Amino acid sequence: MATTGSVDEGIHKFVMRFNGERLDVFVDGEVRGGVDINNVSYDLESDLILGGWSGNTSYLNSELNRFCIYHFALSDRQIKSIGGQQYA
């Protein structure tokens, strides 16, 4: 996946959007990379792994907070709105 830039330390909001054809990555409401994906198959019997890769020993050294899965692809406007919200 092509990505641009880096992320500094601190609190950030990450959004991944898959619309059935393309996977885009947003950081704090701004698109940072994406890739076209064809022939996606779903294995509903597999575990969902957050903060790491299956079969890998490298994991996110942080917390995942306020995690959401939507049953539809969010619009750019909705993602920007999420990215602009401040933590209470």
Side-chain angles (χ1 to χ4, degrees):
M1 176 183 305
T3 59
T4 58
S6 62
V7 177
D8 60 1
E9 291 184 16
I11 296 173
H12 295 281
K13 296 181 182 172
F14 291 87
V15 175
M16 295 182 76
R17 174 181 64 197
F18 179 63
N19 66 7
E21 298 175 359
R22 182 168 177 82
L23 177 69
D24 289 310
V25 176
F26 294 77
V27 178
D28 298 329
E30 300 295 324
V31 67
R32 297 296 281 273
V35 63
D36 292 328
I37 299 177
N38 298 314
N39 301 322
V40 175
S41 63
Y42 300 93
D43 180 358
L44 300 177
E45 300 296 320
S46 295
D47 294 332
L48 175 62
I49 299 171
L50 304 173
W53 297 103
S54 178
N56 193 330
T57 58
S58 298
Y59 295 98
L60 178 69
N61 185 18
S62 186
E63 293 181 18
L64 294 175
N65 190 343
R66 299 183 186 178
F67 184 84
C68 296
I69 297 177
Y70 297 89
H71 67 282
F72 56 90
L74 297 174
S75 69
D76 287 355
R77 183 176 177 184
Q78 290 169 313
I79 292 171
K80 198 169 271 297
S81 172
I82 291 169
Q85 294 175 359
Q86 297 299 316
Y87 286 103

